[in-house]
Amino acid sequence: SCLQTSLSIWGWGSLGVVLFLVTFGPFAIFYFAFYILCFVGGSKTCKVTFPTLSFKCIEEMKREARPIKIDRRLTGANIIDEPLQQVIQFSLRDYVQYWYYTLSDDESFLLEIRQALQYALVQFSARSKETDWQPYFTTRLVDDFGTHLRVFRKAQQRIAEKGDQMKDQAEELVDTFFEVEVEMEKEVCRDLVCTSPKDEEGFLRDLCEVLLYILLPPGDFQNKIMRYFVREILSRGILLPLINQLSDPDYINQYVIWMIRDSNCNYEAFMNIIKLSDNIGELEAVKDKASEELQYLRSLDTAGDDINTIKNQINSLLYVIKVCDSRIQRLQSGKEIDTVKLAANFGKLCTVPLDHILVDNVALQFFMDYMQQTGGQAHLFFWMTVEGYRVTAQQQLEVLQSRQKDGKHQTNQTKGLLRAAAFGVYEQYLSEKASPRVNIDDNLVAKLAETLNHEDPTPEIFDDVQRKVYELMLRDERFYPSFKQNVLYVRMLAELDMLKDPSFRGSDDGEGESFNGSPTGSINLSLDDLSNVPSDETVQLHAYISDTGVCNDHGKTYALYAITVHRRNPNSEETWKTYRRYSDFHDFHMRITEQFENLANILKLPGKKTFNNMDREFLEKRKKDLNAYLQLLLNPEMMKASPALAHYVYDFLENKAYSKGKGDFARKMDTFVNPLRNSMRNVSNAVKSLPDSLAEGMTKMSDNMGKMSERLGQDIKQSFFKVPPLIQKTYSDPDHCRVAAPIDDNVDDNIPLRVMLLLMDEVFDLKERNQWLRRNIKNLLQQLIRATYGDTINRKIVDHVDWMTSPEQVADAVKRFRDAFWPNGILAETVPRRDKAIRMRTRVAGKTKLLEVMPDELKHIIGAETTRKGILRVFEMFQHTQLNKRMVYVFLERFLETLFPQNKFHELFNKLHSRSKQMQRYKQRLHSTQAPSLQK
């Protein structure tokens, strides 16, 4: 068997050798032997060299991981770059490094993220420097805030009309708010972003990705991993926490209190807030705190004088608790009644004498509204106009007497102006042609007409008629007696703060009221100072073009002439600059030559030039010619020959945007209308040439005459040519439009006046009130701004915007952001939500301080009740997180549209908000309302 086994092994071995040689050839055995020798020799050498090679590789890798120098320049300003680099470092440390180092020690990925962030910031900084931020801060920001407030006001009104007390008021307000938003915006609604956290995060991710596409180079943007990391850092790590903080009502309330921290809380204002509060949570929080303080005071062991102080404090706290309990019970029972309605139906109202109503701005507007409802407005306007005439006539005659003492004689001119003004009053209100006409004793009117025709006008010429009109308004059941029974009278008392604490006392039947020619006080119907300067030789006006320049506005290039104006009075001297284009000069020249035909042969305006009209040599020549034109125009002999010219000159030289008149074609059209206006023009020019007081009293008359002639002229033009007016006005509901349209020509150019009037319109709902009040407020604001800031206010605002965007201020903002998110270099922990009772008391404190800081003058102008409602409406608007987020996102969208005007961000935001449920419902309603009309 052993033999057989050995033979089998040799047989199979021989077979394997034969097959190997057949397959690989005879030289294969030499290759095989060579491989074996190499393997044996290599294994011995590797035992020595492999550890050496491993150590060398590790050392080489360590040398490659040396620190890389990073370019730390971002904005070009070191004071900004330093805190900005710290923000980048802290962001990477707290949002990336803490988990990345558990996976890898390779820092190349972190370096790429940092470089991408820095590159984006460099591009962002470059865009910011090229952007004009003045329109954003002075126009867009204010318009957006005004629109937000208007939407909130309309939502409140819509809920009040529904009167459903069963639903959650806060939730219903938010839903109604976004309903009104989509009706106003038409193209966009932000309800999903503001109410759904998931949709909000998605919106911020999409927005950050678009920004990275704009700011990053294409190669870095295509790196998806790095792009997603940067996107998440920006959206979830920075933007979302910042927006949440800015939208938190409690944070806003604390900020409001901090801003007006110097104002002490007034007990009366605090009690008014408690009595007006409709939030049970606020009342319970105040009650609990008062009870806690009460318990503490009762536990004190006091004696002597301190005990009286403690007793007074205890009584005050008991009263607060009682008011809170009463208010809570009323709200829980659903028996809340409007104070005005309650007083109108059941209350014993105090009587405000008519002579007090006529001299109080707030009271007068309600009486004016009532008189217009009853058709008695002509009586009231006549009384007001005569008041203005009397005061101005007295002033004019005093000036005339002082001139005569100085040897100057202009008696006929002054008396002619007064006579023209007196005839204007008569024609407007008392003549047979007057519409509406003041209906009084015909004998009295005839006597007045006789006096006007044969005697010189005096300040007392209308006194008999005015006294009769006053008695008519006082005694006639249609007017003052019925006004006291009207709801407008109750609202007037509310605005005067007299429903519970009347300051006027009088009998219920109106007895005891008297008329002494002119009641004390004055009617605030002030017009602009320059527009009504008297044609007086003591007022000297000099003007010359001091400089020229070329402006580029939205691609349009034009020359601008700086006119330095000196105005000298006996007691004062003023100097200001105004800026006019050649087209302004041309329009002004057309106006005055149309009004004063004799000037066309005297004044010659330099001609137009179509080409090379921006050439420096040509501008200097035109400046010289326009200066000669101005000097001839301001010649005293010229002004004396045409006294009414002064109004046009002052209006042209005033430091405001020049309000252009009609175009050439419209002027030719007016040749058909001018004969009809000639009978009124002399009166109008005379009124405009008189001092401020007379023009103030006759404002209503002048306005009515102007409107009448414009309507008459427009009717003739349309009937003559059978075409619509040259410029068709669009009549849209202003409550369903954005607050972005200019208020008017004069206001829109005056930045602070525009901002203040727009905010007052929306905060206090002035557009719902009569226009007389609004004109008063506009004039008052103009005078306030001029007295406070002078005529260079727009320049100061532009300088302030430049200061706000200066490197120092930007660096300060970055530092505040850094310190808020990383105090002492450590990521701030999420601030725990404060206790509800503390938040409620903060709300009460914020409202109290806001009411306390409102000046009493504002209450006297627009009324105490309107002031309170307006302030509390603004405060209530900030108490809803979803609505605050909407405002923050609107500001952010406008910011990006301003920063990247070429990237069509407006269309992008419309697409991002296109999934809005409110938007889809609005389109469905719109489609359903349009379908029947399309079928027809």
Side-chain angles (χ1 to χ4, degrees), residues 540-548 560-567 573-580 585 623 627 630-631 634 652-655 791:
Q540 299 179 11
L541 194 71
H542 304 282
Y544 64 93
I545 300 176
S546 55
D547 199 5
T548 60
L560 203 62
Y561 300 91
I563 307 174
T564 301
V565 185
H566 297 283
R567 175 185 172 189
E573 185 173 346
E574 298 177 84
T575 301
W576 68 86
K577 276 192 176 184
T578 189
Y579 298 88
R580 295 289 180 259
F585 275 95
K623 170 186 171 182
N627 259 327
L630 277 177
Q631 303 316 312
L634 295 174
F652 180 71
L653 295 178
E654 189 178 356
N655 184 21
D791 295 321

Side-chain angles (χ1 to χ4, degrees), residues 441-494:
D441 187 6
D442 291 338
N443 294 329
L444 205 57
V445 175
K447 181 181 177 182
L448 174 64
E450 184 71 17
T451 304
L452 286 173
N453 289 324
H454 297 93
E455 297 180 14
D456 291 334
T458 63
E460 300 80 17
I461 194 170
F462 290 104
D463 275 10
D464 292 340
V465 179
Q466 188 191 28
R467 185 178 293 105
K468 195 70 176 177
V469 169
Y470 178 86
E471 292 176 356
L472 182 65
M473 290 191 295
L474 176 65
R475 308 297 179 189
D476 195 315
E477 285 295 328
R478 296 173 298 165
F479 304 138
Y480 177 68
S482 296
F483 174 61
K484 291 191 295 182
Q485 309 300 322
N486 193 276
V487 68
L488 286 173
Y489 184 79
V490 184
R491 290 178 181 170
M492 179 194 76
L493 294 179

Side-chain angles (χ1 to χ4, degrees), residues 726-775:
L726 296 176
I727 300 178
Q728 191 78 309
K729 291 186 178 181
T730 57
Y731 294 94
S732 58
D733 184 2
D735 286 329
H736 290 83
C737 300
R738 286 184 54 82
V739 191
I743 297 172
D744 59 49
D745 293 338
N746 294 337
V747 170
D748 192 49
D749 187 65
N750 189 325
I751 295 173
L753 178 60
R754 178 188 182 279
V755 170
M756 293 173 70
L757 192 56
L758 186 148
L759 291 179
M760 290 191 71
D761 271 346
E762 297 306 322
V763 172
F764 302 111
D765 202 9
L766 295 184
K767 288 187 178 180
E768 299 294 328
R769 314 285 286 276
N770 59 49
Q771 291 302 305
W772 172 83
L773 172 67
R774 195 169 180 273
R775 281 200 304 269

